[in-house]
Amino acid sequence: MVSRIRKAIIPAAGFGTRFLPATKAQPKEMLPLINKPSIQYIVEEAIASGIEDILIITGRNKRAIEDHFDHNIDLEYFLKKQGKWEEYEEVLKIAKMADIHFIRQKEQNGLGHAVLCARCFVGNEPFAVLLGDDIIDNPSRPALLQMIEQFRTHGKTVVGVQPVLPEEVSKYGIIAGKRIDDHIYELEDLVEKPDPDKAPSNLSIVGRYIIHPEIFDILGETKPGRGDEIQLTDALRVLCRQQGMQARILQGDRHDIGDKWGYIKAILSFALRCDDLHDQLTAFLQEQAAFSSNNKNEQPPAEEW
Ligand code: G1P
């Protein structure tokens, strides 16, 4: 069996209901963070982590994603003619990123079902899954690479986790396990979106997975769970019992861009890093804070427990 992680799946078939009407006719994965659609950050993370082949699982209304990663001959010709070389290089680079393939998920039966659609693409080797709602910002050490390094050493399925506030546990898959070193947990269980009083920890799965291919047989038999959907977490729970599993506490700023506030925070945080936006944005935010009556202190970041 191949132990290198060469293939990644990016599920992108959801309706994006939390961003309606913006997502009525365009995929939520194409909503921009400054000047790049959010899915490009995910693809770039995969490539920076050594992934060679990417399968994006799409649904209806997702043509824009395919167009984005394809050549746009008219635009390339126009930019060349105008001598806009920087823009030309940027546009060309996107079309030349890793080998990107697409498949349609014909029914919206949940994340587990979306991953099952990738069975033929993956074959019999361990693979990565990156969810588009989670941007994990770590310019020096991509989140997926942190997990791949762990997989190389330990060889077990790995889920990426970070602590969340207690009131947020019911929005995520939550793990139970024993810490075996600074960033690694040996898993005992996983629960999809538990009630806060039943959560085994506050370590939430943050949309990054490296999974052994035996998951596909399990997914084929997984019954609909939470939300009447086939949940990847439910299948991982079975895989964990069969083969053992680990979690990796990911280093990086996590932005849940499936949520409006998470999306705004991601834009602000990226804009603060842009040389041409930093000063203007800082001045604007200071001005707003001075005049706003809503500038109450945020809660401190969550600690693990
Ligand atoms: C999915 C997973 C969940 C995970 C989350 C991360 O949930 O089912 O376990 O914690 O992504 O974003 P969704 O956000 O699709 O409801």
Side-chain angles (χ1 to χ4, degrees):
M1 185 186 282
V2 184
S3 63
R4 268 176 62 219
I5 307 298
R6 303 182 306 171
K7 297 182 181 178
I9 304 172
I10 304 179
F15 284 122
T17 47
R18 280 185 286 180
F19 278 87
L20 281 169
T23 47
K24 185 177 167 218
Q26 66 165 336
K28 69 170 173 177
E29 294 77 11
M30 290 301 292
L31 295 177
L33 295 170
I34 319 286
N35 60 342
K36 272 194 236 172
S38 60
I39 194 163
Q40 192 176 325
Y41 290 90
I42 307 290
V43 167
E44 285 174 353
E45 178 190 328
I47 294 169
S49 304
I51 296 294
E52 294 159 11
D53 262 322
I54 296 173
L55 179 71
I56 302 184
I57 301 171
T58 64
R60 285 183 192 286
N61 277 340
K62 304 282 182 170
R63 273 294 300 275
I65 300 179
E66 295 184 36
D67 288 344
H68 182 72
F69 291 105
D70 195 0
H71 282 282
N72 181 336
I73 304 293
D74 291 345
L75 178 63
E76 287 166 20
Y77 176 74
F78 174 80
L79 293 172
K80 244 165 133 173
K81 214 173 95 186
Q82 298 271 318
K84 299 195 172 195
W85 295 108
E86 212 177 299
E87 290 86 347
Y88 173 76
E89 292 299 335
E90 188 68 36
V91 163
L92 209 62
K93 189 183 86 187
I94 301 168
K96 291 190 163 168
M97 283 183 173
D99 271 335
I100 302 183
H101 316 263
F102 296 89
I103 190 174
R104 263 200 185 198
Q105 184 186 14
K106 295 191 184 76
E107 319 147 67
Q108 300 250 330
N109 278 348
L111 179 59
H113 179 256
V115 171
L116 188 54
C117 293
R119 184 174 201 156
C120 289
F121 165 81
V122 168
N124 192 30
E125 59 184 277
F127 62 100
V129 179
L130 299 95
L131 304 188
D133 279 350
D134 294 292
I135 299 279
I136 301 158
D137 184 24
N138 186 331
S140 57
R141 208 155 158 243
L144 187 65
L145 184 61
Q146 298 170 34
M147 295 170 61
I148 288 177
E149 285 168 357
Q150 178 170 326
F151 181 83
R152 276 193 209 126
T153 313
H154 297 267
K156 288 186 182 170
T157 290
V158 189
V159 295
V161 296
Q162 281 193 344
V164 291
L165 295 166
E167 60 271 28
E168 290 184 324
V169 291
S170 56
K171 283 165 56 182
Y172 302 107
I174 299 292
I175 61 141
K178 282 201 187 75
R179 195 172 198 144
I180 59 166
D181 90 0
D182 261 8
H183 304 292
I184 306 178
Y185 272 76
E186 201 66 47
L187 290 199
E188 283 154 7
D189 205 0
L190 309 88
V191 199
E192 181 66 7
K193 305 193 172 97
D195 294 336
D197 56 337
K198 299 209 178 89
S201 76
N202 70 336
L203 287 172
S204 73
I205 301 173
V206 292
R208 297 292 182 277
Y209 310 80
I210 294 185
I211 310 179
H212 276 290
E214 288 77 16
I215 195 75
F216 291 117
D217 281 343
I218 301 172
L219 278 169
E221 288 176 7
T222 302
K223 301 271 174 294
R226 187 111 192 168
D228 206 24
E229 293 187 332
I230 297 175
Q231 296 292 349
L232 179 60
T233 307
D234 293 345
L236 286 170
R237 193 174 200 186
V238 178
L239 190 70
C240 177
R241 277 187 221 125
Q242 289 179 0
Q243 312 185 329
M245 194 171 288
Q246 291 183 335
R248 168 93 194 177
I249 303 187
L250 294 175
Q251 292 162 289
D253 290 339
R254 184 223 181 171
H255 303 290
D256 180 356
I257 58 163
D259 170 79
K260 283 181 200 139
W261 177 227
Y263 179 66
I264 292 169
K265 278 199 292 189
I267 292 177
L268 293 176
S269 144
F270 286 151
L272 284 170
R273 276 219 307 264
C274 292
D275 292 343
D276 56 337
L277 296 172
H278 176 274
D279 293 354
Q280 272 170 300
L281 179 59
T282 310
F284 175 74
L285 291 175
Q286 280 164 353
E287 190 187 294
Q288 291 293 308
F291 290 106
S292 168
S293 54
N294 291 332
N295 61 338
K296 299 189 183 90
N297 286 338
E298 273 204 21
Q299 282 177 281
E303 296 288 331
E304 295 159 44
W305 49 265

